[in-house]
Amino acid sequence: MASTGKNKPASPLTPALLARYKPAKIFKGSVDPSNAPSGSPGRPQPPRHITGMAFDDFGDTLVTAAEDETHVKTLFSKKYGVDLPRFTHKNTTILHASTKDDDTIRYHSLHDNKYLQYFKGHKKQVVSLEVHPLEDTFMSGSLDNTVRLWDLRTPNCRGLLNLPSAPIVAYDPAGMVFAVAINTFQRILLYDIKLFDKDPFLSIEIKDPYLSKISFPPRKPWITSMSFSTNSKWILIGTAGDVHYVLDAFDGNLLARLEGFRGLEGGKTGDHFGVMPVKGISGEEVGWTTDSKFIVSGSQPGKIYFWDSSMIPATPAPEGENAKVLTPVVTLDGHPGPSRCVKFNPRYQMFASAGAELAFWLADTANEAEKSEDENKDSAKGKERAAFQ
């Protein structure tokens, strides 16, 4: 767990401002290499990575989960493993999934390093975990092909959806709707939170004509994440391949393909028809900036990419034609190794990226400050000349 510091409140983001972001601090000891698994003698082992991270609601604290079985630097979960850390609406408690022994979701107090509750029910690994944006409830998706709805105040599941494959879940910003992504059929199901036991009110099929033009049958990228924009206009679909999608949140139409980057698992999924992997290394690398003006994504080489949401078209392409392709407006270097996790601070003008190491990014305003100072000096000299004359 790391403090993000007391930065100034965020000002409007622009491509020019984003281009000035640089790693302000790199935490090189974020993952313990001593926990790497033993392999073939003489063969070097790949570095352990941070697999998930989250900011608290106030943007003051960041929590990470890593393959060394820690979710903060001094707190361990050796017996159960840890993944998908999520703050509740208190900055002293988190939820996290388990990676071994059992598939229980754990409610952990960071203040005294104690488990407050155990949420049991899933029969296989939890691969998606989201906290309600306003209430003390949350939902989870698992490799057992179910979505479960929970309340922090009780260990009993309050809702259950049985699905044909492992789901990815997301809440809309108002917490009135939740979405479930089904990879088997490339569909997104939208449910009314109060009528979750009824059929979804909208079923969206992701139709990308471009895929059928490069192979048959189409090799569809594996969906690994999903999130609503803060203005509720769009749904961002993150995939394990070299493309992400933007959908209209009201009618489900495909509006844009996000290209120009190398996906974390581009060679594993999307390139081989019929591959249906379990949870891989992607899913935490793509999301929205706080104001939803930009989409940010990590990549296999480590570069950080930004797409401008103002370029998302208001209407879809005509039937049978390719969706509009958006390319990054800003590309940042500086993250060491694959950038598996990227999160923007919900309150302050900074973001974090993580993989083998954790980095905090801030805008370099030194040149801008010097430029402003020079302009002020020139202005003052001009006034002096005018007064003299």
Side-chain angles (χ1 to χ4, degrees):
M1 183 170 63
S3 173
T4 62
K6 299 296 182 180
N7 301 311
K8 294 181 179 180
S11 57
L13 292 174
T14 63
L17 179 60
L18 290 172
R20 297 204 305 269
Y21 270 73
K22 295 180 180 179
K25 185 175 181 61
I26 296 178
F27 299 84
K28 293 185 177 295
S30 301
V31 185
D32 184 1
S34 64
N35 288 324
S38 59
S40 302
R43 178 177 295 179
Q45 295 300 310
R48 288 293 197 174
H49 282 179
I50 290 172
T51 60
M53 63 183 182
F55 284 100
D56 73 315
D57 288 350
F58 300 101
D60 294 327
T61 308
L62 176 77
V63 63
T64 65
E67 291 172 328
D68 62 357
E69 298 159 347
T70 64
H71 54 76
V72 273
K73 190 172 182 180
T74 56
L75 304 183
F76 293 84
S77 183
K78 294 286 186 180
K79 184 176 181 181
Y80 306 109
V82 57
D83 196 14
L84 304 174
R86 301 288 186 262
F87 272 102
T88 66
H89 296 298
K90 296 180 180 178
N91 63 1
T92 57
T93 56
I94 65 168
L95 293 163
H96 72 80
S98 306
T99 59
K100 57 183 181 179
D101 193 67
D102 66 14
D103 304 293
T104 299
I105 299 168
R106 289 172 165 77
Y107 182 22
H108 195 162
S109 169
L110 303 178
H111 174 67
D112 49 12
N113 193 19
K114 293 181 179 179
Y115 287 115
L116 304 177
Q117 192 66 270
Y118 300 91
F119 300 97
K120 300 180 179 181
H122 285 299
K123 306 302 181 185
K124 293 183 179 180
Q125 183 182 355
V126 173
V127 294
S128 188
L129 183 64
E130 296 298 331
V131 174
H132 191 282
L134 302 174
E135 301 175 359
D136 290 328
T137 58
F138 66 98
M139 62 179 169
S140 55
S142 166
L143 294 177
D144 64 9
N145 300 346
T146 66
V147 169
R148 289 179 179 266
L149 283 75
W150 310 87
D151 190 311
L152 286 174
R153 293 161 292 191
T154 174
N156 300 318
C157 170
R158 57 187 287 264
L160 174 66
L161 297 176
N162 289 291
L163 301 160
S165 67
I168 304 295
V169 298
Y171 287 104
D172 83 313
M176 300 175 65
V177 171
F178 68 90
V180 179
I182 309 296
N183 267 297
T184 303
F185 303 108
Q186 290 280 293
R187 286 188 178 274
I188 311 297
L189 309 178
L190 297 186
Y191 291 86
D192 185 324
I193 194 74
K194 296 181 179 180
L195 302 171
F196 63 83
D197 55 339
K198 308 296 182 182
D199 290 337
F201 66 83
L202 181 63
S203 178
I204 304 167
E205 182 179 3
I206 303 176
K207 296 181 179 180
D208 185 358
Y210 176 77
L211 299 177
S212 61
K213 296 177 181 178
I214 59 175
S215 67
F216 185 82
R219 297 171 180 173
K220 298 180 179 180
W222 192 257
I223 299 171
T224 57
S225 67
M226 179 170 54
S227 58
F228 286 81
S229 59
T230 52
N231 57 15
S232 300
K233 290 175 59 177
W234 305 300
I235 301 176
L236 173 63
I237 304 297
T239 82
D242 300 338
V243 62
H244 302 311
Y245 295 110
V246 179
L247 309 181
D248 188 306
F250 295 97
D251 56 28
N253 287 320
L254 174 61
L255 298 178
R257 288 171 52 94
L258 307 183
E259 299 182 359
F261 69 103
R262 180 61 174 164
L264 290 174
E265 300 178 85
K268 171 185 173 186
T269 61
D271 291 345
H272 302 284
F273 175 71
V275 174
M276 297 176 61
V278 295
K279 188 178 188 305
I281 65 171
S282 59
E284 296 275 293
E285 81 281 12
V286 60
W288 300 92
T289 57
T290 308
D291 55 10
S292 289
K293 290 184 177 180
F294 297 89
I295 297 165
V296 58
S297 177
S299 65
Q300 199 281 329
K303 293 182 178 181
I304 310 296
Y305 297 91
F306 291 87
W307 293 266
D308 190 339
S309 65
S310 68
M311 297 180 180
I312 299 173
T315 58
E319 184 72 23
E321 294 188 15
N322 295 338
K324 182 175 181 179
V325 174
L326 301 185
T327 55
V329 294
V330 176
T331 301
L332 301 179
D333 289 302
H335 181 89
S339 43
R340 287 183 58 170
C341 308
V342 181
K343 298 287 183 183
F344 238 86
N345 191 298
R347 186 179 177 191
Y348 300 116
Q349 200 174 72
M350 61 86 66
F351 71 91
S353 63
E357 298 174 356
L358 172 66
F360 283 176
W361 297 69
L362 294 171
D364 182 3
T365 58
N367 293 336
E368 197 71 15
E370 292 175 2
K371 181 179 178 182
S372 177
E373 186 176 346
D374 291 341
E375 290 176 349
N376 290 336
K377 288 180 179 179
D378 291 341
S379 177
K381 289 179 180 179
K383 291 179 180 179
E384 289 176 0
R385 294 193 194 99
F388 180 76
Q389 293 172 353

